[in-house]
Amino acid sequence: MQIGYIGLGKMGKNMVLRLLEKDIKVVAWNRSPQPREEVAQMGAIAVETLDELVAKLKTPRIIWLMLPAGETTNEILKKIIPNLSKGDLVIDGGNSFYKDTLRRNRELEKKGIHFMDIGTSGGPGGARSGACLMIGGSKEDFKRVEKLAKAAAAPGAYEHLGPVGAGHFAKMVHNGIEYGMMESIAEGIAILKTSEFRYDFPKLLDLYNHRSVIESRLVGWLLNAFKKDVELTDISSKISASGEGEWTLKVAKEMGIPAPAIQAAFKVRQKSENDPESSPSSFRNKVVSAMRGEFGGHPVKKV
């Protein structure tokens, strides 16, 4: 199986390396050359231009985009679409807003080009060792890419969820849920730290992650962060946000569905930029940042 792959950031490069190990032939492009060179050393065909990428793929082509949502994705699509043929398939594996996905699908349908959305979870580590894939698209297109999905995913970690848009909608809500879960964990740890007891957090978190009700990968990632720095001294108390939590809240409002836990977690992130290091909120915010750094490779160190 041969695919084109556009975008070799922290997720894309790792996924390409995994696909190569699973005997998927990859033609890869990235704006900066270093990631191209890295995947080429492992067997990918690295190209310097998008035109070259399209030209090297046999028709009908399959092209996977792993790009930042919004204008970057729009820009790349505008560049490659004129060179695509009827029957080609474009997959958006990034975190695009589902309404943008629906719009892009309508535009591509007019040209006879197929489109799928694959919400990808697991961070850079998951991209390398096996991600969780939430797939939207027609049944026919899913059958066409199932071998690819199986190669990119951890065992049992891919599912066709419905028509185009279903994958990105599921990933959007997934990230909204993630906001609430991370905030709850951080609040609990902050309460424990402020208590009269002196907890060994690596020991306590390890205990939480052995058959307790809150056992989770998030607790495991936080355990890793505390093993590195039990006071989270170098972690910023500003919590960045990539957008999906806010999208979830907007859609929930449109549907008339209250989402108080996600709303509260989102407000904490908004306010964190103005929380001084000396504030009672600072350590709680650092806990959330530390988790983001561990699972997503997000920049969370103090500047």
Side-chain angles (χ1 to χ4, degrees), residues 240-254:
S240 299
S242 52
E244 294 90 340
E246 185 175 8
W247 296 343
T248 305
L249 290 169
K250 288 180 178 179
V251 172
K253 186 176 180 181
E254 290 172 5

Side-chain angles (χ1 to χ4, degrees), residues 81-211:
I81 286 172
N83 294 327
L84 297 182
S85 306
K86 287 184 178 181
D88 288 349
L89 170 62
V90 176
I91 298 168
D92 183 356
N95 284 328
S96 292
F97 185 44
Y98 85 101
K99 290 185 179 179
D100 291 334
T101 299
L102 296 175
R103 172 182 54 77
R104 290 170 184 143
N105 182 51
R106 289 192 296 268
E107 292 170 356
L108 290 173
E109 272 186 328
K110 296 174 185 176
K111 302 176 184 296
I113 299 167
H114 298 233
F115 192 60
M116 297 186 75
D117 51 305
I118 299 185
T120 306
S121 181
R128 188 67 182 88
S129 61
C132 174
L133 304 181
M134 307 164 208
I135 303 171
S138 71
K139 291 180 181 179
E140 293 75 20
D141 285 335
F142 172 66
K143 290 177 182 177
R144 184 173 166 186
V145 303
E146 186 169 10
K147 178 182 176 181
L148 173 62
K150 189 173 183 178
Y158 71 91
E159 193 68 57
H160 180 222
L161 299 176
V164 171
H168 279 157
F169 193 92
K171 180 57 164 57
M172 175 190 74
V173 175
H174 162 284
N175 283 34
I177 294 169
E178 178 187 293
Y179 275 39
M181 290 175 68
M182 291 172 69
E183 178 62 23
S184 293
I185 292 169
E187 289 171 9
I189 297 301
I191 293 167
L192 287 162
K193 184 174 175 60
T194 311
S195 76
E196 62 188 284
F197 307 104
R198 291 297 164 260
Y199 289 101
D200 179 327
F201 282 120
K203 184 182 293 185
L204 176 60
L205 289 164
D206 185 59
L207 176 62
Y208 279 168
N209 243 19
H210 281 84
R211 308 301 293 166

